[in-house]
Amino acid sequence: MRALRALILALAFPTLGGASEEMSDGNSAGDLEGVEQMVVYGVRTGELDRVPGAATNLIFADDFVAEHKSLTDLLSETEGISVRRFGGAGDRSEISIRGSSASQVVITLDGARANSLLTGGFDLSRICLPLLERVEITRGAGTTAEGSGAVGGVVNIVTRGAIDGPETRLAFSGGSFETFEGSLVHSDTIGEIDFTVGYCGFETEGDFEFSRPTEIIAGVPATFAHPTAIRLNNDRVQHGGTFGLHFPLGSGEVGVSNYTVYSSGGEPGIDSGNGASAGQALEARSRDLSTLNQLGWTGSSPMGVEGDFQAAFYHRFESSSFRNPIVTFRPPIDVEVHLSTFGARLEDTWDGNILDQAHQTDINVDFAHDRLSSTEQSPRERPRLGAALSEALTLFDERLVLSAGVRVDWTQGFGVQGLPSFGVVVSPFPWVRIRAQAGRAYRAPNFDELFHPDEGFIRGNADLLPEDAWNFGAGLEVRFARIGILSKIDLRAGWFRREIDESILWVLVNADTIAPINTGSATTDGFELSAAFNLIRLLRISANHTETQSRRDLTGKRLSGQPSHETSARVQLGHQEAWKLIGEVQRVGVIFVDEGGGRRLPARTIWNASAAVNLAEMPWLPFKGVPTDLWLFVEIDNITDKAVRDVRSFPQPGRHLTGGLEVVW
C-alpha cells in the first residue's frame, strides 16, 4: 500500500519522482541504514528546444559522428521525407517532401538557392556530409521565403563555420565495390578573421551485382530471363570543397563563401534488356561542375530600430556534359549544358513591442537572373523578382506565437503571383508545443519542361501553366525527462494536406513521344509520427512513420513514384562520446510505377548495422586530449541482401560493407 501511495504521489507531483531518482543515484545509502528504501519512477517533464518557424526542424551532422552517413541517408530517415535513389554511392538521389516531386522542393546552400535551372531538382549525392554543420527542413508553406518551387517545402543546407579556437577534422573510409571516401576540414580564427576550408573526395567502381526487377503487371509477376546482372560502366570520381571567411566591417560582419563540386563517371542508364549487359549503356559518360559563391554583410538594421539587416549577392554556375557514342536507332549523343544564376537578397528584421508583447517584422527582397546555353537548344534567359513581408507576434510569455506573411513573386512569362501564409505555435507548457500552418505555393515550369528539344521520342511544352497549390499542416510535440523507466522522451505527430492545380507530369502524348503536360488537380494528405526515448542510460530507441496518399482528383487513382508508407527505426547502445552499437531498419511500401498501380515495385525491408569506438576516450590508451576524438567504425548496409529499387530501371546495391576512421583535433 505504501508503494502504491508513493507511485500516486510521484505521478501527481513530477518533482517528487525526480527527487527519488536523485536519491537512488547518490551515495546516501549509508545515511539511511536500517530504513526501508524504495526507488520511485514518476513523470518528469522536459523542455522543448526552440525552433526557427512553425514548420521547421533541424538535423545536426555531429549527432551521427562515425556512422558513415550521407545527406541522402539522414533525409530518408526523417519523417515526412522520401528519397529516390537512382543507384548506389555517387549516383543521383532526389528528395520528396510529403509526396512532392523533386522540382517541388527548394534546396538552398547557406541560404542561396541551389536547384538545377534545367530540371528544377537537386542531386543530393553532390553534397558531402563532413562539410556540413546542420540541415534545416521546412515542410510545406515555404514560398513566403523562397517563392516559386517551394510546393513541398524547403531544405537549407548549412556548411561548417569557425568555432572558438582552431579545429581540424579528418575522415577516411573504404568499402565494397572499391569505394573510397576522404575529407579534411580546418577552421580557425586569426585576429578578427574567422575562416573554414574543407575538402571531400569520393571514388567508386560501382560494379555491384543486382537482381533484375520483378514487376506486378495486372496482378501477374513479370521477370527477365536472367535473374541477376552486374552494374556496368558505373564508376565515378567526385571532388568537393568549401571555403568560408568572416570578418568585421563597420557595424556588422562580412561573409564570403564558396562551395564547389566536380563529378565524372559512367552512366549505365536503365537495365531494360534481356542480354548479358541487361541493356545498360556501356560507353556513356558524364561530367559536371557546379560552384556557388556568396558575398554578404550582416549588421544592425539601417532603420534605426532594434533588429538585423542582411545583404547578400550570389552567383551559381553549373556545367555538365553527356556523351554516348553508341545509341540504338539514333545518332551518337554529345551534349553540353551551361547554367548560371546571378542573384541578390536583402532582408531587414525589426524587433519591437506592441502593448508589451514581442513583435517582429521581416522584410525581404530578392532578385535572380537565370541563363541557359546548350548545344541542344537555343540560349534562354529568365529573370525572377520577389518581395515578402512577414509578421510574428509573441504573446503570454512566449506561450502563443502568431505569424502571417505574404510574398509577391514574378517570373518572366508567368506574371505576378501573391503567396499568403499563416502560422501559429502554442506552447501551454515548456514541454508541449502545438504547431499549425497554411500557405499558398506555386512553381513555374523549369527550362527542361518548357524547352526540351524535340528528339522524336521526347520534347518540351512551351504552353505549360505554373503549378498552383495550397498547403495545410498541424503538429504536436511533447518532451518528458522521465516516464517510469523511460527517459529523454520526445514524441511528435503531424498531419498534412496539399491541394494542387495544374500538376506538371511527363506523360506519353502519343504512341512514340513523351512530353510534360498540365494534368489537372491532385490531392495529397497524410500523417507523420515520431518517437525517441532512452530505455536505460546507454540505450536509445527512435522510430518514425509516414503515411502519404496522393491521388488524381479526376480519376481518384493513386499517383506514381511515391510509397504510401515508410517506417524507420533505430536502436543505439553506448555512450555518444565514447562508443556505440547501432541497428537500423527501414520499411518502404509498394511504389507505383504508373498511375493507378498497373505496374508497381514491391515493398521492402532493409536492415543496417554499425559499430564505432572513440579511442581518445579510452583511459588505457595514450590518446587522451590529443586528438580530441579518434573514432574507428565499421558499417554493414542491407544485411539481408535485399533487392532495392526506388525507380523501375535503376537498381541499388545489395549487401555492402564499409570501414573507416574519423579524427578531430
Side-chain angles (χ1 to χ4, degrees), residues 458-470:
I458 186 171
R459 61 174 172 80
N461 180 359
D463 297 323
L464 288 172
L465 299 174
E467 296 177 325
D468 191 354
W470 274 91

Side-chain angles (χ1 to χ4, degrees), residues 488-629:
K488 296 183 179 179
I489 305 153
D490 290 308
L491 305 174
R492 294 200 300 262
W495 165 86
F496 58 88
R497 180 180 178 88
R498 179 184 306 114
E499 300 172 355
I500 185 168
D501 291 325
E502 305 299 348
S503 298
I504 299 174
L505 290 179
W506 291 82
V507 299
L508 278 169
V509 294
N510 57 48
D512 304 311
T513 305
I514 296 174
I517 64 171
N518 292 109
T519 58
S521 61
T523 301
T524 299
D525 46 31
F527 63 87
E528 306 153 350
L529 301 174
S530 175
F533 57 87
N534 284 7
L535 185 59
I536 57 176
R537 188 171 64 90
L538 299 181
L539 178 61
R540 185 156 184 84
I541 300 173
S542 58
N544 66 73
H545 178 79
T546 302
E547 290 277 347
T548 306
Q549 297 295 331
S550 300
R551 58 195 177 275
R552 182 78 51 214
D553 290 344
L554 181 62
T555 63
K557 290 183 177 180
R558 177 179 150 188
L559 301 182
S560 62
Q562 297 290 335
S564 60
H565 63 270
E566 292 190 66
T567 303
S568 296
R570 170 187 171 100
V571 177
Q572 177 175 328
L573 175 65
H575 192 289
Q576 181 69 16
E577 304 298 327
W579 63 275
K580 50 186 175 179
L581 302 173
I582 296 171
E584 297 175 323
V585 61
Q586 186 174 47
R587 171 72 177 176
V588 178
V590 171
I591 299 175
F592 282 15
V593 175
D594 54 11
E595 194 168 308
R599 291 185 174 187
R600 60 184 68 182
L601 297 173
R604 82 242 184 181
T605 301
I606 305 299
W607 299 83
N608 306 320
S610 67
V613 60
N614 186 1
L615 299 183
E617 292 293 323
M618 301 297 108
W620 58 85
L621 294 176
F623 297 116
K624 190 66 176 177
V626 180
T628 308
D629 294 303

Side-chain angles (χ1 to χ4, degrees), residues 321-366:
S321 65
F322 176 81
R323 293 176 174 83
N324 188 359
I326 304 175
V327 185
T328 305
F329 306 124
R330 286 190 59 202
I333 299 174
D334 189 348
V335 178
E336 287 195 15
V337 179
H338 302 285
L339 306 163
S340 66
T341 298
F342 175 78
R345 184 170 188 140
L346 304 177
E347 183 173 4
D348 199 6
T349 302
W350 307 337
D351 297 319
N353 288 277
I354 296 179
L355 299 177
D356 293 327
Q357 303 296 322
H359 174 261
Q360 185 177 84
T361 299
D362 187 87
I363 301 173
N364 70 67
V365 178
D366 54 82

Side-chain angles (χ1 to χ4, degrees), residues 387-463:
L389 170 66
S390 300
E391 301 278 351
L393 181 63
T394 302
L395 304 170
F396 311 120
D397 295 327
E398 300 188 355
R399 288 185 174 87
L400 176 64
V401 179
L402 303 175
S403 61
V406 63
R407 179 182 176 90
V408 179
D409 210 75
W410 173 78
T411 302
Q412 186 181 59
F414 298 99
V416 177
Q417 303 284 338
L419 307 172
S421 63
F422 311 91
V424 58
V425 180
V426 183
S427 303
F429 308 101
W431 50 279
V432 176
R433 179 161 54 222
I434 302 168
R435 301 195 281 186
Q437 65 279 334
R440 180 174 177 251
Y442 93 110
R443 182 180 74 86
N446 58 57
F447 282 150
D448 209 31
E449 293 166 334
L450 291 169
F451 308 121
H452 195 291
D454 191 342
E455 299 177 2
F457 71 99
I458 186 171
R459 61 174 172 80
N461 180 359
D463 297 323

Side-chain angles (χ1 to χ4, degrees), residues 75-306:
L75 292 174
S76 68
E77 296 163 4
T78 303
E79 68 269 24
I81 293 179
S82 179
V83 172
R84 300 177 74 192
R85 293 176 170 91
F86 289 77
D91 290 323
R92 184 175 184 85
S93 57
E94 298 178 337
I95 187 175
S96 167
I97 297 181
R98 294 176 170 177
S100 73
S101 66
S103 59
Q104 292 172 341
V105 178
V106 169
I107 306 293
T108 60
L109 187 62
D110 292 326
R113 186 178 291 224
N115 294 67
S116 169
L117 300 178
L118 188 65
T119 66
F122 181 82
D123 185 358
L124 299 173
S125 71
R126 298 299 185 258
I127 297 294
C128 182
L129 192 64
L131 304 182
L132 306 186
E133 176 186 318
R134 68 182 185 275
V135 181
E136 303 167 351
I137 303 168
T138 300
R139 300 171 178 84
T143 47
T144 300
E146 299 300 335
S148 172
V151 175
V154 178
V155 176
N156 183 36
I157 300 167
V158 181
T159 56
R160 288 192 181 273
I163 62 173
D164 295 334
E167 181 184 77
T168 302
R169 293 170 174 260
L170 171 69
F172 178 80
S173 65
S176 303
F177 323 121
E178 298 182 54
T179 301
F180 301 95
E181 297 180 62
S183 65
L184 179 64
V185 182
H186 179 72
S187 60
D188 201 352
T189 300
I190 301 177
E192 296 183 321
I193 300 175
D194 299 333
F195 73 91
T196 302
V197 59
Y199 165 80
C200 187
F202 168 86
E203 182 178 5
T204 184
E205 286 300 313
D207 52 349
F208 57 86
E209 185 178 14
F210 62 92
S211 298
R212 304 304 306 280
T214 298
E215 294 182 5
I216 309 299
I217 303 177
V220 179
T223 61
F224 285 89
H226 300 282
T228 63
I230 300 295
R231 200 60 165 152
L232 305 173
N233 187 36
N234 197 40
D235 60 292
R236 183 153 295 276
V237 174
Q238 182 170 302
H239 303 281
T242 183
F243 173 76
L245 185 70
H246 293 84
F247 58 89
L249 180 66
S251 61
E253 182 182 75
V254 171
V256 180
S257 66
N258 168 271
Y259 190 96
T260 299
V261 60
Y262 168 83
S263 179
S264 175
E267 295 288 351
I270 62 177
D271 67 321
S272 58
N274 252 325
S277 66
Q280 300 174 85
L282 303 183
E283 301 294 334
R285 310 291 292 179
S286 71
R287 183 178 69 251
D288 59 80
L289 170 70
S290 63
T291 181
L292 177 61
N293 301 287
Q294 294 191 71
L295 171 64
W297 183 86
T298 301
S300 58
S301 173
M303 301 303 294
V305 297
E306 185 177 350

